[in-house]
Amino acid sequence: MENAQKKFVIKTYGCQMNVNESGKIAELLTREGFERTNDDKSADIIVFNTCCVRDTAEKKIEAHIGNTKILKKQNKGLVVAVIGCMTQKNGAAESLKKKFPHIDIILGTHNIDKLVSYIKEGRRPKTFIEILAERKGSDEILTTTIDQDGQTAYINITYGCENFCSYCIVPFVRGKLISRPFADIEREFDEILRAGVAKRIVFLGQNVNAYEGSGYDFPKLLRYFNDKEGEFSLNFLSSHPKDFGDELISAIKDCEKVEKNIHLPLQSGCDKILKLMNRRYTVSEYETKINALRVACPEVHITTDIICGFPTETEVDFAETLETMRRIKFNAAFVFPYSRRSGTVADKLDGQLPLKVKRERATKLIKLLQDLSKA
Ligand code: 5AD
Ligand code: SF4
């Protein structure tokens, strides 16, 4: 395929991890002489970097993939690639191929580094599928990307998650927890500092504070990079409360470059539900950590995630969550109606709630948060 002036579109869904990986793919394609565009009609390549955390995302993505069938009729050379979490689910790649035979390339989460070379090979007579069972050590995409705000650089420090929260599909599609070698992280970090563009550097991982590599745990890693010279701030996404200990709180306090801006997903404010979610902490343990963090850093800004309408959640359970939210007073919260994910433990529980109830509870919580923030 002739690369000159070929244009590509990347459509990214889901979390910051995907945004970061899309940025890397864009960088590699640009180096190969492709040009980025946002206009589907003039594109020669459309890449879908997908998410499957909730049903709403999947439905939207499928509709968007469906639309490219028409584009392909108008532009016979158009290459359509689908990568990321959605394709890695058990049997999903085959069913995507059946539903959308016009897709050229389907890759999973463990081999997106191959995407650029497959794209260069051009259109396929049949859908090409490559899904690996696990991530191998060498499949790093060695580029560094700066967010579209032009200020933030993201560095992956862990891949995967093995917490198996009962509602969550991530451990099934992103695989076991792997901490990147410390030397690789430092190389990427130094490159970002040398380029001198990023004002913020954010460490990424599905369970970022479980990092463990080359004698460094997460608090030590934060302290190490805090000591690097330069004008920048540090942050991290996303933490699990069970791995959020005193050491980490002290590191956040001591490190002047670490932003006092912490996202710590609570998921439910009711112990019965937390247990069923397999979160491995109680509301009171969570609150103790938040209180310690607030004592250490009085200016701290804390945000969270809450799932409404988890199976078996009663009105009384939900009222407990509302009460917890009133007490903790987060600076902001992301609220999600529970979405059934096939293969997860929660999906098999009796007591699934109607969508209407899940949505009503989510709306009620959002309203409470608005009232609290006004007050
Ligand atoms: N249903 C609803 N929300 C979910 N999340 C993860 N899995 C589900 C699900 N099955 C939410 C959690 C997580 C955020 C990224 O997405 O709150 O913290
Ligand atoms: Fe999913 Fe829980 Fe892992 Fe977060 S910690 S990615 S919610 S399993």
Side-chain angles (χ1 to χ4, degrees):
M1 177 160 76
E2 178 54 55
N3 291 348
Q5 272 102 51
K6 291 262 182 206
K7 295 199 174 111
F8 69 91
V9 168
I10 302 191
K11 296 182 185 286
T12 308
Y13 305 83
C15 67
Q16 202 53 49
M17 199 84 76
N18 276 6
V19 175
N20 193 35
E21 284 174 345
S22 288
K24 287 174 189 275
I25 292 164
E27 171 70 25
L28 291 180
L29 284 170
T30 308
R31 280 189 207 166
E32 293 289 339
F34 297 92
E35 193 187 323
R36 188 168 194 163
T37 173
N38 290 321
D39 174 29
D40 293 3
K41 287 206 179 90
S42 67
D44 304 283
I45 301 143
I46 301 184
V47 178
F48 291 89
N49 191 3
T50 62
C51 170
C52 60
V53 165
R54 282 173 294 275
D55 180 53
T56 37
E58 279 192 324
K59 291 231 170 78
K60 189 164 78 184
I61 296 165
E62 288 207 353
H64 292 174
I65 295 174
N67 292 341
T68 57
K69 196 173 165 190
I70 305 157
L71 290 175
K72 232 169 167 166
K73 284 207 179 107
Q74 292 153 359
N75 174 6
K76 297 273 184 263
L78 175 65
V79 173
V80 175
V82 182
I83 63 169
C85 294
M86 197 169 149
T87 67
Q88 189 79 30
K89 283 196 311 178
N90 209 0
E94 283 299 332
S95 85
L96 274 173
K97 175 183 171 171
K98 230 181 245 162
K99 241 187 209 165
F100 306 108
H102 70 283
I103 299 175
D104 297 283
I105 302 165
I106 299 180
L107 299 184
T109 56
H110 301 307
N111 52 351
I112 63 160
D113 56 317
K114 300 264 194 64
L115 179 66
V116 173
S117 61
Y118 290 148
I119 283 178
K120 279 162 66 187
E121 287 173 32
R123 272 205 67 180
R124 311 262 165 173
K126 275 199 227 143
T127 310
F128 170 76
I129 300 183
E130 191 179 76
I131 308 287
L132 304 182
E134 59 185 47
R135 181 172 281 266
K136 299 200 188 73
S138 60
D139 68 342
E140 295 230 315
I141 299 186
L142 299 174
T143 68
T144 297
T145 55
I146 304 294
D147 205 44
Q148 283 176 346
D149 69 0
Q151 308 216 327
T152 310
Y154 294 88
I155 303 181
N156 258 106
I157 67 165
T158 67
Y159 296 112
C161 177
E162 46 200 73
N163 285 327
F164 288 96
C165 300
S166 66
Y167 51 80
C168 184
I169 194 76
V170 168
F172 299 90
V173 296
R174 286 276 177 176
K176 287 197 196 113
L177 178 83
I178 295 176
S179 293
R180 256 179 97 191
F182 194 82
D184 288 359
I185 298 170
E186 182 164 26
R187 180 193 42 72
E188 196 170 334
F189 196 99
D190 289 346
E191 231 170 70
I192 292 167
L193 288 190
R194 218 178 0 255
V197 274
K199 294 199 173 64
R200 304 176 67 226
I201 299 177
V202 178
F203 296 118
L204 287 183
Q206 249 88 33
N207 189 187
V208 75
N209 50 345
Y211 182 82
E212 201 65 74
S214 325
Y216 284 86
D217 60 9
F218 187 62
K220 266 198 195 151
L221 178 143
L222 271 188
R223 287 182 189 274
Y224 182 87
F225 287 107
N226 184 69
D227 287 345
K228 292 257 176 190
E229 266 181 42
E231 277 189 32
F232 60 89
S233 65
L234 293 173
N235 209 325
F236 51 91
L237 277 175
S238 214
S239 306
H240 194 298
K242 78 174 167 52
D243 301 315
F244 206 97
D246 291 342
E247 286 288 317
L248 180 51
I249 293 175
S250 303
I252 294 169
K253 177 183 180 203
D254 296 344
C255 295
E256 72 288 353
K257 288 184 177 119
V258 173
E259 294 169 5
K260 307 307 181 240
N261 189 347
I262 306 294
H263 185 64
L264 194 61
L266 170 64
Q267 310 298 4
S268 168
C270 162
D271 283 339
K272 180 196 106 182
I273 298 297
L274 282 177
K275 192 148 200 285
L276 284 172
M277 285 177 163
N278 190 30
R279 290 291 286 176
R280 286 173 275 178
Y281 54 81
T282 61
V283 173
S284 132
E285 282 162 357
Y286 180 96
E287 276 189 89
T288 304
K289 292 182 186 202
I290 293 289
N291 292 340
L293 182 60
R294 283 178 167 155
V295 168
C297 316
E299 75 277 37
V300 72
H301 196 273
I302 303 172
T303 57
T304 201
D305 292 343
I306 300 286
I307 297 175
C308 295
F310 185 83
T312 80
E313 185 186 73
T314 62
E315 283 298 336
V316 174
D317 299 334
F318 180 62
E320 245 180 71
T321 289
L322 293 179
E323 194 42 47
T324 302
M325 298 301 281
R326 274 188 207 103
R327 219 172 37 244
I328 297 185
K329 297 192 180 63
F330 289 100
N331 295 87
F334 299 91
V335 178
F336 308 105
Y338 167 71
S339 173
R340 292 181 78 161
R341 304 286 74 197
S342 158
T344 61
V345 168
D347 186 46
K348 298 179 192 95
L349 289 175
D350 290 333
Q352 300 288 333
L353 300 179
L355 185 60
K356 186 166 170 273
V357 172
K358 298 190 269 191
R359 286 201 177 139
E360 274 168 9
R361 288 186 189 166
T363 307
K364 214 168 180 178
L365 177 51
I366 291 167
K367 171 84 177 43
L368 170 71
L369 291 163
Q370 284 165 348
D371 291 348
L372 287 174
S373 86
K374 267 184 225 143

